[in-house]
Amino acid sequence: MSLKIEQNFSLKAKNTFGIDVSSTYFTKITSIEELQEALFIAKSNQWPFLFLGGGSNILFTKDFEGLTIELSLKGKECIKEDEHHYYVRAMAGENWHEFVLYCIDNQYAGIENLSLIPGSCGAAPMQNIGAYGVETKDVLYQVEALEIETGKMHIFSNEECRFGYRESVFKRTLKNKFVVIAITLKLNKIPVFRTEYGSIQEELDRMSVSDLSIKAISNAVINIRQSKLPDPKDLGNAGSFFKNPVISLDLYETLQKQYQDIPGYKTSNYVKVPAGWLIEKAGWKGKKIGACGVHEKQALVLVNYGNATGNEVYNLSENIIQDIKKHFSIELEREVNIY
Ligand code: FAD
Ligand code: NAP
């Protein structure tokens, strides 16, 4: 057995919230063989296990009593092409944003709107990461995943991933049953620019971009994100803490009578309401409670000002959920994975 397993390992530097918890056992795997060995050890000892990418979508509320497996499988390449597409494969441990930049450098178009999202490529299909009108599901060709029970590799097509809004089969029915080893994206040779969403066009104008390109869109997205979102290096957070709720048209119209300015994005009989607006309207934006709080520029992001515990952040999120329910009859759902 060659795998290095550390004991009572601090996870503080391994989660972007910066929550100070420890894992009874910790290992970092760099090959599939090491992953299989780690799983064998965990199973033999009946240790629970936890897969970790960049730790940017996790809130730890207690020490993890088991084996944390950091996935550091590396490698990215274009594996094939056809008339209109490049098929680009990334191993699970590749950093997502570096992968986006690599695709842009090679003129593989389609994920430029997903620039600067923290975390790993392996986690991208977990919650179907999305931003500025593009989601993983729009470009995903296949996911290669190892079945934990049998140790066998499976290939999931886009359809089999059962993607939804910040959802996939891996986050629901197959949670803890598969570990993502690699993803392959089907990217365009001729770019389809997506600039209609949010303030992309405004930022492109501000940048005086006359010759639109995937690089320009990526830069615009990076600028917007840097101006709005706290960098986890400076202020612990896990991005949007809650999903944007999707409510019935009836409830939306009822709310509109009371709140004429309530934003909503309609799809057939449903309306997606920005959770950040609800939280701000209820007066939470910028509120600091103990060592944690609601970010002053983006109410959807909960932050750790230094020494917050996971439970403090969790309790804050619970209070917000209850308050939003009281004000708007909408039940917010957490996007962040709670451990
Ligand atoms: P982790 O936090 O390490 O893991 C998340 C979950 O997936 C855990 O349950 C973990 O066990 C599991 N997991 C991780 N890797 C694997 C694997 N290979 N196989 C099986 N299970 C695995 N998200 C968006 O969708 N859009 C955004 O625009 C966005 N912006 C963000 C901005 C900031 C500042 C931050 C901090 C976060 C943001 N996020 C966003 C959330 C987060 O970056 C993504 O969800 C990202 O994909 C998480 O990747 P990760 O590697 O850090 O996952
Ligand atoms: P924003 O532009 O202020 O918009 C607020 C919300 O309204 C967004 O969350 C978005 O929902 C929705 N929205 C805006 N324009 C829309 C349109 N044309 N059609 C449909 N829905 C629209 O949002 P922001 O907070 O600055 O974030 C910008 C993008 O980055 C969003 O896509 C957001 O999801 C993503 N982001 C995600 C995280 C995370 O951790 N998950 C963190 C930061 C940013 P959607 O969320 O459905 O896009």
Side-chain angles (χ1 to χ4, degrees), residues 76-81 85-89 102 108:
K76 48 185 181 280
E77 62 178 326
C78 178
I79 53 170
K80 66 173 179 176
E81 61 183 279
H85 300 105
Y86 296 109
Y87 296 78
V88 192
R89 180 173 184 260
Y102 160 84
Y108 308 149

Side-chain angles (χ1 to χ4, degrees), residues 127 130-132 165-166 197-198 225 228-229 238-240 244 265 272 274 298 335:
Q127 72 154 10
Y132 298 99
Y165 176 60
R166 304 288 187 267
Y197 203 93
R225 293 182 72 104
K228 276 183 146 179
L229 288 168
S240 304
N244 291 315
Y265 299 95
K272 184 179 68 182
Q298 170 51 284
E335 179 179 305

Side-chain angles (χ1 to χ4, degrees), residues 191 193-195 200-201 204 209-217:
F193 300 124
R194 303 287 306 269
T195 61
I200 297 188
Q201 189 56 55
L204 288 166
V209 171
S210 51
D211 198 8
L212 194 55
S213 65
I214 55 175
K215 184 71 185 166
I217 292 181

